[in-house]
Amino acid sequence: MLRPKVPTNPMPTGIVTPPAVIEPTTVVQHPVAPTPTPVAPAPARPTVQLTPGAVLALVGGGTAVVLVVGAVLVSMLLAVAITAASLAICALVIRSLITADGKRH
């Protein structure tokens, strides 16, 4: 059904150069220099020293973040609760309209 075509390599059209001849080289080893003694590395980052003012700022910032996130979550929960209550009221009204319409006939 489907027959793949095998690609053929075309003949080179430009000037063809013969491959370069690679001659082996000798490896000369140099004397190894003694390694220097390791020096104790400096600390990557300075140590953090918290002052009482910085501690108060961190506590105040953390409190603010917790209060904001809590307010957002409570407002989302309140929105879901209000939506659910309004849908329940709509369902009750529609059900009462349907049953009242059926009793009239």
Side-chain angles (χ1 to χ4, degrees):
M1 192 162 158
L2 296 175
R3 295 183 185 221
K5 294 182 180 179
V6 179
T8 57
N9 291 332
M11 294 298 292
T13 56
I15 300 173
V16 179
T17 58
V21 178
I22 300 174
E23 296 180 4
T25 57
T26 58
V27 177
V28 178
Q29 293 187 354
H30 297 287
V32 179
T35 59
T37 58
V39 179
R45 41 187 172 148
T47 57
V48 177
Q49 295 180 354
L50 294 176
T51 61
V55 170
L56 285 176
L58 285 174
V59 169
T63 304
V65 167
V66 167
L67 288 176
V68 168
V69 169
V72 168
L73 291 177
V74 167
S75 64
M76 289 173 64
L77 180 64
L78 185 61
V80 169
I82 291 172
T83 304
S86 64
L87 285 175
I89 291 171
C90 289
L92 288 175
V93 169
I94 290 172
R95 188 177 74 175
S96 66
L97 287 174
I98 290 174
T99 55
D101 190 33
K103 289 182 181 177
R104 273 192 231 162
H105 291 265

